[in-house]
Structure formats: structure tokens, C-alpha cells
Amino acid sequence: MSDTHASSVAFVRETAIEPAPPPATETGLIKWVRENLFSSTMNSILTVLSILAVYYLLTLLLPWIMNGVWDASSIRECREKLDGATGGCFAVLAERWHQLVFGRYPQDSYWRPMLAFVLMFAAFAPVLFSNLPRKLLIGTALFPFVAYWLVWGGSVLVPVAVLLGFVAGYLVYSRLVDQSFAMGFVGGVVAAILFWWASGFVVTEDASFMSLPAVESRDIGGFMLNLILGVVCLSVSLPLGIALALGRQSSMPIIKFFSVIFIEFIRGVPLITLLFVANVVLAYFLPPGSNFDLILRVMIMITLFASAYIAEVIRGGLAALPRGQYEAGDSLGLDYSQSMRLIILPQALKISIPGIVNVAVGLFKDTTLVSVISMFDLVGMVRGPILASTDWNGVYWELFGFAALLFFVFCYGISQYSQWLERQLQTDHR
Amino acid sequence: MKKSIFLGTLTVAGLLAGAAAATTLEDIKARGTLNCGVNTGLVGFAAPDANNNWQGFDIDLCKAVAAAVLGDADAVNYVPLTGKTRFTALAAGEIDMLSRNTTWTFSRDNDLKFEFVGINYYDGQGFLVPKDLGVTSAKDLDQATVCIQTGTTTELNLADFFRSNGISYEPVPIETNAEAIQQYLAGACDTYTTDASGLAATRATFEDPSAHVVLPEIVSKEPLGPLVRHGDNEWGDIVRWTLNALISAEELGITSANVAELAGGTDNPEINRMLGNEGGLGEMIGLSPDWAKNAIAAVGNYGEIFERHIGENTPIGLARGLNAQWTDGGLMYSPPFR
């Protein structure tokens, strides 16, 4: 071994070799493509087929979108401008967008629903994001009244009186609730009703005070109507659903009985039937000329429908909690409402989030069913007035595509929020 | 004793309530607007335009009645109704009249307790075929595939027609007009059948309308007209004679352009009676003497309304056909104003 020294070998490496770049097939894009798209024969075939399918769709879609005509007064003018080429007739959106979004709302008042829409985000923020200051919840409580006043108009006294009625009821409730919950509850309700009854005289006397031009419910339509129905019905049905779910688990037989009957009955009836009841059947029972607002009737029906579904979702959450959680509440000496509020519901609702969001998205899309009872929501507007005008009869893809796009944006937003919320609350028990 | 007083009071209250229940005409005058039930959207017949103003053949009848009753053609409250909600809305008193391309049938008139006051459009079921099919008569449609809306009277009419002519067909059931157009243009069916006015409106939306024809056979009777509730004949008369005034106006040559001039007095006694110069006709139906003049001035005569919304110069391009005046070989025939 002694002859192996420096003078007998040609070269001795004295520094480390520079790290070579990884082989081209093991890095960057190529690696990703190899691993994800061409990892096996079957996957390669599927990839090629998918690319062909995407290419085919794009060759159909892109010219249709890029060649689209945005400036025309009728479908015939669109076709003249296209002159046989493929292209969408988006001029219908340019001309009728206000009907699609606002229905037959007065055109000079569009700022009112827009303002209500913007305020809605401000009002929902403290509810949706728990790291915002809690004082913002006051704004949330005021929002329904402000929004009603903005959208429907009329004297500001009406929503103010309703709001003050709630305040009066709450004050009485908080006075009496120390003695017993039932007494507080009944007292609060009576106080609120008395207040509303009394304020009726003031409001009718001075109906023009700070009044916005009133808009009739019939003129509220387009996507705005879907949004109003979706937001209102969901917000009201969530507490109702929680109450029903707790009622169904209650040990008091009457409450349990009514909750079960209600939930099973509503879930056993299609929404469209309830809407027909709201629209058609109620008209027979109410005296002629009575003014029970159609939107309100529809809201009540959709709310009842949604609350039954939400109740079942939340019951699933309640059932998933180990028995020990209930017993822990009892052993701490908490009463029913405290243990529900502090221990059971926070956990049950957390588990229920995906189910609730599922109901929410479904409900939001179901609001388009009101087009069947001749309300001009987004779909009703497309199928009725716009497709029935001599100018735009025959434009289908553009209009329904637009409707689908609007709904997708909102539903996707809801589902993204819920996923964020789940990450925040760490529902997976890691 | 006490009981009888109570019952007596109830009776008196009931009688008073009955006496106080105003007629439809009084209700409308007190309200200041006419509640008119219309289609949620039918090409040429009823649809709001981009500015939310309702336009169409059926709409103009609402306007004419409002002009006759209230003197203002814009004093109309349009209540859009679907085929499913229209009759309950009328029966429940939500609307005063229904002007919504409704076919006058025995059961609707009697069983549903409505009163059809006239016919403003004679429709009927027809067939739309591509020209290159080479068919000139519906009787040549043996073995044809037919696109047909399910659950409608058109389905029954079709079966009757093919059976009575001893030819066979293959139905392609579809749900909506939009679906029918797609199927028809894609060649899934040889012919599409529905009301002839609907076929004309559908054909007008095609890229090349001239490549399609509506066959001459009309296989059903679909008389469309306005209707009111049973129980107030005076109100029904007002709607009936407003429609008749529009039809008579065309026959007598009264148009929206010359009605003001003719109302000044003419040598034709019927025109004078109609426009309120003679005879006191307005008084007889509880309206002002110039009721018919107001109606015609607002929307024009029947022919003008037809030409404006669905006539040959519109994209829909319907010929007068059965809807021409009886003097021109059609069925439009108004009883005399006398």
C-alpha cells in the first residue's frame, strides 16, 4: 500500500465537487408533470384525453366570448354584426343588466339597495370574524332596520318604532328574568306588543318624517330579491333551527312533540308546495284587498323550510357530542341554558358547520324557485320579461351563464368562508 | 230575547256589509288604478321593456280599459301571473281583470266561475317545419317525429289530429319552449307544434327564419280573450264593450290619429254614439260619455294594436288571418253600438 502516494497518482481531488443540478426529469415542472400527470400508462392516457377535452371546450368557448357583441339593440342586430361568425350576444347584458340585478326597482334609487348591500358586509363582519371588536355588534343589531328602510323606503319612523319595541321588550325582559325566565319572556313580548300598538298612532300621524320614496314589494326583483330572501331567511332560520333541534332533544313531551311534528312535516313537503301555499292558498283565506306582503309570505315559508333542515343538521352535531359533555355541565351545577350556551352548543355548532353551510348554499340557490309563483327574481326576470321581449327572444346561453356566474361567486364565497372558519376553530380535533 | 237581539244585530250588520261592498267599478275608481293580470312574459303579447314599462298586445287592452274607466291609460297596476297562478289571483280578487292570452273553454267559463267577455285573438295549434323537409301539409307528416310540450292541451290535440287522419307519429316530449327550439334546430324532431302565434314568435328568433315554414293546417281552436270574475256583470260589460269599441273603431275607420277630430261630430251616427256625441251610451255603463274616445286615443283601434305588437311589420310578423275584420274575411265582429 506504500506505493500509493501523491507522486504515483495522476490526480487527487482536494475540494468537494460542486453539487450537480438534479437530473432534468427530477426537478421543477417536468418532475411535477411526470409525477402528477404521467405517472403510469393509465394516467398518461387520461391526461391526454383531458387535454383534448379542454382544448375542444376552449375552441368552442373562447371565440364565443372573444367575439361577443356588447353593443347592439336586439338579437337581430347582434347576428348582423357577427355576420355568421361564432360569438355571444352579450349586448343583452349591457342593456338589461339593471333588470337582472335590481328587477323593476326605480332606476334613480339604485344607490339604496347598493348602500344596504355594502352595509351588510359591515354588519356581518363582527359575526363572521371573531377577532373584531365586539362593540361592532351594535351595528349588526341595527342593520336589519336600516336595510329595510333603505330598500323599501317610506318613513324612517316605521323601522325606528319596531326597533324601539324590541328595545322596550328587552328592557322588561332583563328586569323580570331574574325572577323567572318564563315571566321575563312573556313580559318582554307583552311590552314590545304594547309599544308597537301605541307607536302605531304616532307613525300614521307623521308618515312623511325623513321618508324615502316607498318601493312596492312587487318592484323588488332580480338578483337583489334572491339575495334578500337568502340572507333574511338564513339569518332567521339559524336561531329557529337551533331552538327546534334543542326542542327535539327536550325531555318535555309537548315541546318535543311539536318540534318533531314541525320538522318532519316541513321536511316532508317540497319547498315549491310551500311557496304555492304562500302565494295562492293564502289569497283565499285572507279577505280581498288585504295587503299581506307577498315577499313577507315567501320569506316566512322559506324560513320555516330552512329551519327544519338546519334543526336536523344541528341535531346531528348534538348527537355527536359524547354523553360526558352533558354530564360535565350538570356536575358543574350549571342550569340548562347555561350548560347549553357554554358547553354543548359551541361544540355542537362547530361540528355542524359543514352541514349548515351545505343548507345555506342550497337554500340560496332554492330562492330561484320563487320565479314559479310569478316573482321576478333573477331567473324569473330572464325567463319572463327578457326572453319574452321581441328584441331578445332567443338569447339563452348569455343570460343563464350570467345568472350562473352571479350565483357561483356568492356560493363559492360562502364555502370558502366556511372552510376558513373550520380552520380557525380546528374542528378536526388535532 | 237577548239571543234574538244578537241575531238581529248580526243580520243587520250582514245586510249593511252587503250593501256597503262596493262594485268593482267603484273599487277601481276609489283606488285610482286598475289591477290587471298579465303574462310574466310572452313575446309580443306582454313583457316589460328595458325601462320596466309593460308592452304588448294583451297589455294594450288593460290600458284601454283603464283609459275608458279612469281616463288615464297609465293608471294600471300590472300583476304578472304564471299559468299556474292566474286563476286563483282572479278568483281571490287580487286583480280586476285577466288579460293573459287565456283560452276560452267551457270548463274555465263555468266550472271556474269566470266570465270571458270576448275574444281578442283567435289562435290555434299549428306545425313548424324546416323548408327542406319538403312538406306542404300537415297530412304529409306520416312517421314524423314531433316535438311537443308535455301536459298541455296541445298534446291531446295532436293525438286527435293524427288519429283522425289515420297517420302515425313519434312524439318527442319537451318541457319548455326554449328546450323545444334547441331540439328542433338540432334536428331531434321533424316538426314542432304549439300555438301558431307562438310558432311565429319562435320562428322570428331563428338565425334564418326563411328556412322554416308554418304549415297551413290549424288543428285546434284557441280563442284567447280577457276574463273577469262571476258576480259583477256591470264590470264585465265595461271590459266587453271596451274591447268591442276597439274592434268597431277599426271597422268604422276611427284611429288614434283621427279620433279627436271625429269626436267633434260626424255624419255617421254610430261613430257619434260611440264617441259620446249622441245616445248617452257612456251613461248606460256607468262611465263618462268620452270613455270610448279615451280608450281609442290611448292605444288606437284593434288593427293598430295588432300591427304595433304582432303584425307583419314586427319581427313576429303574424298575418291578420282569422283576426281580420269580418268585412275582410276574418272573425273580428263587434255587436253594434246602438
Side-chain angles (χ1 to χ4, degrees), chain A residues 76 79 95-96 98-99 103-105 107 218 276 279-280 283-284 288 371-372 374 376 384-385 387-390 393-394 396, chain B residues 40-43 47-50 52 54 77-78 80-82 84-85 88 91-92 178 181-182 201 205-207 315-316:
Chain A
R76 286 169 290 281
R79 282 177 181 153
E95 193 191 277
R96 297 293 186 105
H98 57 275
Q99 284 186 328
R104 303 192 293 136
Y105 207 81
Q107 302 205 11
R218 194 177 38 245
F276 270 119
N279 182 30
V280 176
Y284 276 117
S371 64
V372 180
S374 53
F376 287 138
L387 283 181
S389 65
T390 13
N393 186 0
Y396 296 104
Chain B
T40 50
L42 180 67
V43 182
D49 65 10
N52 295 326
W54 285 88
N77 184 5
Y78 298 103
L81 298 166
T82 62
K84 297 178 180 74
T85 57
T88 43
I181 296 171
Q182 302 291 341
T205 70
F206 291 170
E207 297 227 38
I316 303 171

Side-chain angles (χ1 to χ4, degrees), chain A residues 101-121:
Chain A
V101 178
F102 295 104
R104 303 192 293 136
Y105 207 81
Q107 302 205 11
D108 51 354
S109 301
Y110 283 166
W111 62 272
R112 284 160 48 183
M114 283 312 285
L115 183 61
F117 181 65
V118 173
L119 285 178
M120 182 182 81
F121 287 104

Side-chain angles (χ1 to χ4, degrees), chain A residues 88-375:
Chain A
C89 185
F90 299 110
V92 64
L93 301 180
E95 193 191 277
R96 297 293 186 105
W97 69 270
H98 57 275
Q99 284 186 328
L100 290 170
V101 178
F102 295 104
R104 303 192 293 136
Y105 207 81
Q107 302 205 11
D108 51 354
S109 301
Y110 283 166
W111 62 272
R112 284 160 48 183
M114 283 312 285
L115 183 61
F117 181 65
V118 173
L119 285 178
M120 182 182 81
F121 287 104
F124 277 169
V127 182
L128 298 182
F129 301 102
S130 54
N131 49 0
L132 290 171
R134 294 292 85 193
K135 283 210 172 142
L136 288 175
L137 280 174
I138 297 174
T140 310
L142 291 177
F143 172 72
F145 305 99
V146 175
Y148 171 82
W149 181 56
L150 280 174
V151 173
W152 271 270
S155 167
V156 75
L157 287 178
V158 177
V160 165
V162 175
L163 172 65
L164 289 179
F166 277 113
V167 172
Y170 177 74
L171 287 178
V172 172
Y173 166 81
S174 56
R175 267 296 158 72
L176 296 175
V177 75
D178 293 342
Q179 299 169 30
S180 96
F181 174 78
M183 211 168 134
F185 187 74
V186 173
V189 170
V190 169
I193 290 174
L194 275 180
F195 186 88
W196 287 326
W197 176 73
S199 64
F201 298 107
V202 185
V203 171
T204 42
E205 258 176 42
D206 199 0
S208 59
F209 179 72
M210 272 188 74
S211 123
L212 288 169
V215 177
E216 291 198 47
S217 288
R218 194 177 38 245
D219 292 338
I220 292 174
F223 192 61
M224 183 172 80
L225 179 62
N226 295 114
L227 212 54
I228 291 176
L229 288 177
V231 168
V232 171
C233 297
L234 201 71
S235 321
V236 181
S237 65
L238 201 54
L240 263 183
I242 295 174
L244 281 171
L246 292 177
R248 195 170 182 166
Q249 295 220 320
S250 169
S251 53
M252 289 185 263
I254 293 187
I255 291 183
K256 179 170 182 163
F257 178 74
F258 278 114
S259 301
V260 171
I261 294 278
F262 178 87
I263 292 172
E264 294 304 331
F265 175 74
I266 297 276
R267 284 204 313 161
V269 177
L271 178 57
I272 194 84
T273 316
L274 293 177
L275 291 177
F276 270 119
V277 168
N279 182 30
V280 176
V281 183
L282 278 182
Y284 276 117
F285 297 135
L286 298 169
S290 68
N291 190 17
F292 189 28
D293 197 280
L294 181 59
I295 291 192
L296 188 61
R297 285 188 249 166
V298 168
M299 271 180 186
I300 293 173
M301 285 302 178
I302 300 182
T303 304
L304 295 182
F305 185 78
S307 61
Y309 276 86
I310 287 185
E312 285 300 277
V313 169
I314 291 175
R315 193 170 68 95
L318 291 171
L321 283 190
R323 191 83 224 129
Q325 295 295 323
Y326 293 87
E327 287 160 3
D330 292 343
S331 67
L332 283 173
L334 302 178
D335 66 16
Y336 178 76
S337 73
Q338 282 171 328
S339 73
M340 284 300 144
R341 202 153 41 94
L342 300 173
I343 296 183
I344 304 298
L345 280 181
Q347 302 183 68
L349 290 179
K350 203 167 82 171
I351 304 172
S352 313
I353 288 175
I356 293 175
V357 170
N358 200 16
V359 173
V361 170
L363 174 81
F364 183 47
K365 290 185 293 185
D366 279 353
T367 56
T368 53
L369 282 179
V370 297
S371 64
V372 180
I373 53 165
S374 53
M375 290 173 89

Side-chain angles (χ1 to χ4, degrees), chain B residues 36-331:
Chain B
C36 195
V38 297
N39 202 314
T40 50
L42 180 67
V43 182
F45 284 82
D49 65 10
N51 298 319
N52 295 326
N53 298 317
W54 285 88
Q55 306 282 354
F57 186 77
D58 280 342
I59 300 297
D60 275 356
L61 188 64
C62 300
K63 287 186 179 171
V65 173
V69 173
L70 301 163
D72 179 6
D74 295 327
V76 187
N77 184 5
Y78 298 103
V79 181
L81 298 166
T82 62
K84 297 178 180 74
T85 57
R86 55 183 163 179
F87 295 128
T88 43
L90 183 60
E94 225 174 289
I95 53 175
D96 303 316
M97 60 179 281
L98 182 66
S99 176
R100 189 200 176 280
N101 55 294
T102 304
T103 307
W104 185 352
T105 67
F106 183 92
S107 59
R108 282 173 181 173
D109 202 336
N110 300 298
D111 196 26
L112 293 178
K113 304 262 181 288
F114 294 135
E115 185 184 355
F116 282 82
V117 298
I119 294 168
N120 67 343
Y121 190 88
Y122 288 91
D123 212 339
Q125 189 178 341
F127 295 92
L128 183 69
V129 292
K131 246 188 196 144
D132 43 9
L133 196 66
V135 171
T136 52
S137 157
K139 289 172 185 151
D140 301 342
L141 285 170
D142 198 14
Q143 309 283 339
T145 49
V146 183
C147 274
I148 178 114
Q149 285 186 343
T150 49
T152 60
T153 50
T154 54
E155 199 177 9
L156 308 173
N157 296 334
L158 180 77
D160 288 355
F161 173 77
F162 275 79
R163 203 176 120 204
S164 58
N165 283 291
I167 48 180
S168 67
Y169 70 103
E170 190 186 331
V172 178
I174 41 111
E175 201 55 48
T176 63
N177 189 48
E179 191 190 341
I181 296 171
Q182 302 291 341
Q183 297 277 10
Y184 173 77
L185 288 179
C189 45
D190 299 326
T191 176
Y192 172 40
T193 177
T194 186
D195 287 352
S197 62
L199 287 180
T202 300
R203 197 180 80 122
T205 70
F206 291 170
E207 297 227 38
D208 182 13
S210 60
H212 304 267
V213 283
V214 178
L215 296 177
E217 280 87 355
I218 297 294
V219 301
S220 75
K221 288 189 286 188
E222 308 279 348
L224 311 179
L227 55 156
V228 298
R229 264 185 309 282
H230 267 187
D232 189 349
N233 295 0
E234 285 76 16
W235 170 242
D237 287 341
I238 290 173
V239 180
R240 173 181 299 117
W241 284 96
T242 307
L243 174 61
N244 284 341
L246 299 178
I247 295 171
S248 279
E250 189 189 13
E251 187 187 342
L252 298 170
I254 310 172
T255 67
S256 54
N258 68 12
V259 64
E261 186 193 330
L262 292 176
T266 64
D267 297 333
N268 184 330
E270 183 158 20
I271 294 180
N272 289 348
R273 280 193 296 271
M274 203 163 110
L275 298 183
N277 291 323
E278 287 174 25
L281 294 187
E283 211 179 303
M284 291 181 206
I285 54 171
L287 299 176
S288 65
D290 58 354
W291 63 281
K293 179 193 155 213
N294 288 339
I296 298 164
V299 295
N301 64 36
Y302 180 82
E304 285 178 87
I305 299 172
F306 195 101
E307 288 309 322
R308 186 161 59 235
H309 296 296
I310 52 181
E312 283 181 320
N313 293 322
T314 65
I316 303 171
L318 286 170
R320 285 294 289 268
L322 288 179
N323 297 296
Q325 289 288 332
W326 63 285
T327 47
D328 300 331
L331 291 176

